[in-house]
Amino acid sequence: MRRFFIEQSKITSTKIFITGSDAAHIKKVLRMKSGDRIGLFDGRGFEYEARIENLLAGSVEVSITKCFLSALESPVQIIVAQALLKDKKIDILVRQFTEIGITKLIPFTSIRSVPRPDKKRLSARKKRWRKIAIEALKQCRRSHIIELCETITFNDIIKTYDECDLKIVFWENESKPVGDAVQQVHDRHCRKILAVLGPEGGFSEKEIEDARACGFVTASLGPRILRAETAAVAASTILQYLFGDMGLKKS
Ligand code: SAH
């Protein structure tokens, strides 16, 4: 089935209009007719099956008959809040997070984070990360671009993200294994997770206290101290295994 990209904002009801070069392509090159079926995807992980209703002058009217999450997208949204790291470590993480199926990356600064880039630098970095993310998509065949947020502070993260089923800080001084820390949500419906990972210098006790007060659980990644960039990959993988699509098929 032919697939076309459609902006998610255009999908406001089951009847939608394909415009521009795609409309011309459908009519003039593919010579499709009313009743023919096409596929649509929105770049955000949703796929649609649709039927052509009308071939109009500047557009093609289609009706959506089926909507489903791309088979390559995890059923759980995993948002990783990652403290800024030295050198180009986040560049590599953007690629790895894309492959692991992370939905969103929120870079942040915290008490012990070393890099303090100014706005201009941050914006250049974000552009570079987007490029890396798109490259990574091609390689892993995913259709969902990892959302790259502006850099905020640790405080913003713990105070503003309220609507998650699980909010978890991976803390180097915690002894509770991640499996135990997530017990409370394990058997429940878990659709959205926020995982927070610290900078090379780790978290302060006060930061952990504040996070707990905001409803975060803290978890260990085992008895060894991992490098920040290793911890980020390990934590994302474990969460995707426990709640998403890296583990056994859910019955
Ligand atoms: N400088 C600190 C280590 C920081 S590691 C120290 O020597 O104690 C950087 C980040 O990786 C941590 O803030 C945490 O988010 C994560 N991390 C590393 N090892 C971890 C572990 N064993 N358990 C949980 N998180 C860990």
Side-chain angles (χ1 to χ4, degrees):
M1 196 185 303
R2 288 281 176 165
R3 284 168 90 243
F4 298 90
F5 173 75
I6 185 95
E7 294 277 355
Q8 206 189 31
S9 59
K10 281 192 172 176
I11 307 172
T12 50
S13 76
T14 54
K15 281 227 178 327
I16 55 165
F17 294 88
I18 296 171
T19 54
S21 57
D22 280 345
H25 193 68
I26 289 172
K27 288 187 286 188
K28 299 196 177 118
V29 181
L30 301 172
R31 299 187 173 278
M32 297 183 99
K33 296 187 275 312
S34 305
D36 284 350
R37 298 190 169 270
I38 57 168
L40 299 169
F41 65 98
D42 64 4
R44 296 178 169 212
F46 280 101
E47 304 260 348
Y48 305 87
E49 271 177 31
R51 188 179 55 235
I52 295 178
E53 298 295 349
N54 283 305
L55 302 167
L56 306 167
S59 65
V60 175
E61 183 188 349
V62 304
S63 58
I64 291 175
T65 50
K66 205 170 162 189
C67 163
F68 47 95
L69 270 173
S70 154
L72 297 187
E73 285 310 307
S74 173
V76 61
Q77 283 186 52
I78 304 175
I79 302 168
V80 174
Q82 171 66 60
L84 286 182
L85 301 175
K86 289 191 220 160
D87 308 321
K88 294 193 172 164
K89 289 177 191 161
I90 304 261
D91 288 16
I92 298 165
L93 281 181
V94 167
R95 176 170 61 72
Q96 290 168 317
F97 286 152
T98 301
E99 292 166 22
I100 296 168
I102 299 307
T103 319
K104 193 193 271 198
L105 168 63
I106 316 168
F108 70 89
T109 53
S110 64
I111 295 173
R112 295 188 188 153
S113 51
V114 178
R116 301 268 168 183
D118 57 26
K119 268 203 162 144
K120 207 170 140 203
R121 259 208 132 119
L122 279 175
S123 135
R125 272 193 198 177
K126 204 175 153 198
K127 269 193 198 142
R128 191 171 70 230
W129 293 339
R130 190 173 159 80
K131 253 187 166 170
I132 294 169
I134 291 169
E135 276 309 304
L137 279 190
K138 288 182 196 157
Q139 178 269 324
C140 72
R141 298 187 202 157
R142 202 177 160 193
S143 62
H144 196 136
I145 298 168
I146 186 170
E147 189 184 336
L148 298 163
C149 300
E150 297 299 329
T151 300
I152 55 178
T153 64
F154 178 76
N155 248 329
D156 292 333
I157 295 200
I158 59 170
K159 302 250 158 74
T160 51
Y161 277 82
D162 243 359
E163 70 309 2
C164 296
D165 302 310
L166 170 66
K167 297 192 290 185
I168 183 165
V169 178
F170 288 90
W171 185 33
E172 58 279 10
N173 293 336
E174 178 57 83
S175 55
K176 194 188 262 187
V178 52
D180 290 354
V182 303
Q183 206 79 63
Q184 46 156 142
V185 288
H186 208 137
D187 296 325
R188 271 182 29 209
H189 206 52
C190 192
R191 284 259 159 268
K192 199 167 177 184
I193 299 171
L194 172 59
V196 184
L197 287 129
E200 288 93 343
F203 289 115
S204 72
E205 296 270 350
K206 171 81 169 68
E207 283 173 326
I208 294 299
E209 238 174 64
D210 292 348
R212 285 183 178 143
C214 292
F216 282 78
V217 294
T218 48
S220 161
L221 289 168
R224 293 164 296 278
I225 297 292
L226 310 179
R227 276 179 176 249
E229 62 272 32
T230 311
V233 172
S236 319
T237 307
I238 289 170
L239 292 174
Q240 196 66 284
Y241 175 83
L242 288 175
F243 297 102
D245 58 4
M246 273 186 166
L248 297 173
K249 269 213 162 77
K250 300 243 158 60
S251 49

